Each structure stands twice: as C-alpha cells, then as structure tokens.
C-alpha cells in the first residue's frame, strides 16, 4: 500500500506550512498585507504579478484562513483582503525571512529596506529561538518528537 505523500498528510509542520503559504507570491502578498495593502488592484500594482496568479493565491490564502474578504472600508463596491489572527501570526516568519535576507543577500552599501520599530525608530532586534527558560537555542539544541492529539 502506498502512503499519501502530499503535504496535507505529512507529520511535518514545515511541509504543511509550505503547502499553505510557501510559494513566492503568497508570501509577497502577506508581506504587502502587513504594509496595509488590502485590495486586489493594490496587490497587483505593488507586486506586478499576473491577475490570474494573484486571484489564485488570494483564493488559497482565504481558504486556509490567512485572509478574510470584507466589503471595502471606504464604502465603495470593492472588497478588501484583511489578515485574520491566523494571518497576523505569520508576521514573525516574514520578519525572520527579511532579517536573514538583510544579513546575507545584500552587498555592503547596496540599497535595501529595513524594518523599523514605530515607537523607537530603530531597526528590530534579530529574531532568535529561545528555550522555555529563555536560553538562545541553535539547531543542535533541539529535537523533534512525534505527537498524536490526545497524548500528553
């Protein structure tokens, strides 16, 4: 018997996350939503993505619960894509990717954007992984275990 190899059947949360939000356009749409872009035409203008690809990605992001579709806040006939709580929880993922890119994908003196704290006006601290006691952890400090719902 052949097991289903799709990410939906995977025990790996990374595989399932990539299936839901892991392609380039989906992450760029989510990034733009963090910058208060909400309308289809605004996403299309910002990203320069083909309308059919944008429509497909937005549909998937609504289906997985990252966005809600609502009437436009200005009362017009348009609709807006608003991040749900689930969608807003992707923020640390986007910030981690951004910080990695800032550190490793730009040459010295090359123009890039940096995410700033509104209150202090300073760049954000680097995101890191911490233990339950607050100790910084690396890959060799962690391991995976298989968990079945209902087990303690």
């Amino acid at each position: 018997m052949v097991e289903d190899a799709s990410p939906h059947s995977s025990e790996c949360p990374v595989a399932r996350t990539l299936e839901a939000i892991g392609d380039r356009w989906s992450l760029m749409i989510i990034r733009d939503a963090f910058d208060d872009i909400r309308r289809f035409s605004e996403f299309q203008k910002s990203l320069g993505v083909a309308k059919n690809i944008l429509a497909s990605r937005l549909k998937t992001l609504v289906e997985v619960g990252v966005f809600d579709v609502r009437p436009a806040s200005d009362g017009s006939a348009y609709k807006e894509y608003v991040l749900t709580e689930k969608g807003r929880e992707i923020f640390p993922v986007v910030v981690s990717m951004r910080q990695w890119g800032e550190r490793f994908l730009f040459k010295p003196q090359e123009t890039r954007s940096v995410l700033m704290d509104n209150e202090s006006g300073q760049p954000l601290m680097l995101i890191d992984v911490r233990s339950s006691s607050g100790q910084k952890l690396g890959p060799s400090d962690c391991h995976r275990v298989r968990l079945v719902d209902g087990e303690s």
Side-chain angles (χ1 to χ4, degrees):
M1 181 175 174
V2 177
E3 288 190 37
D4 184 358
S6 77
H8 293 298
S9 67
S10 176
E11 292 180 0
C12 177
V14 174
R16 288 195 184 196
T17 300
L18 287 171
E19 178 69 16
I21 64 167
D23 72 271
R24 172 190 174 154
W25 294 119
S26 293
L27 285 168
M28 297 301 284
I29 291 165
I30 294 165
R31 178 212 59 189
D32 277 2
F34 288 130
D35 289 335
D36 291 326
I37 291 180
R38 295 179 176 206
R39 292 187 182 178
F40 185 95
S41 61
E42 293 171 336
F43 285 116
Q44 208 278 323
K45 182 179 177 183
S46 172
L47 299 171
V49 60
K51 291 179 180 181
N52 64 319
I53 293 172
L54 178 58
S56 171
R57 297 312 187 277
L58 283 168
K59 180 179 185 238
T60 298
L61 291 169
V62 169
E63 287 171 354
V64 299
V66 170
F67 284 108
D68 280 335
V69 180
R70 297 186 184 155
S73 54
D74 64 4
S76 67
Y78 295 102
K79 59 184 174 183
E80 294 181 344
Y81 295 87
V82 180
L83 287 164
T84 61
E85 180 180 350
K86 187 178 191 178
R88 289 187 301 275
E89 290 288 326
I90 299 169
F91 185 67
V93 175
V94 174
V95 171
S96 291
M97 292 178 69
R98 168 184 272 288
Q99 289 178 344
W100 185 86
E102 288 170 2
R103 291 175 59 204
F104 298 113
L105 300 179
F106 289 86
K107 296 175 186 164
Q109 309 305 316
E110 188 176 1
T111 301
R112 67 182 185 279
S113 66
V114 177
L115 198 58
M116 307 293 277
D117 179 336
N118 288 342
E119 187 175 317
S120 72
Q122 298 295 312
L124 303 184
M125 289 179 56
L126 289 178
I127 290 181
D128 53 26
V129 177
R130 303 266 174 182
S131 70
S132 58
S133 64
Q135 180 182 6
K136 187 174 178 176
L137 301 175
S140 63
D141 300 315
C142 305
H143 70 280
R144 294 180 291 149
V145 296
R146 185 170 185 254
L147 177 66
V148 178
D149 268 348
E151 290 183 355
S152 18

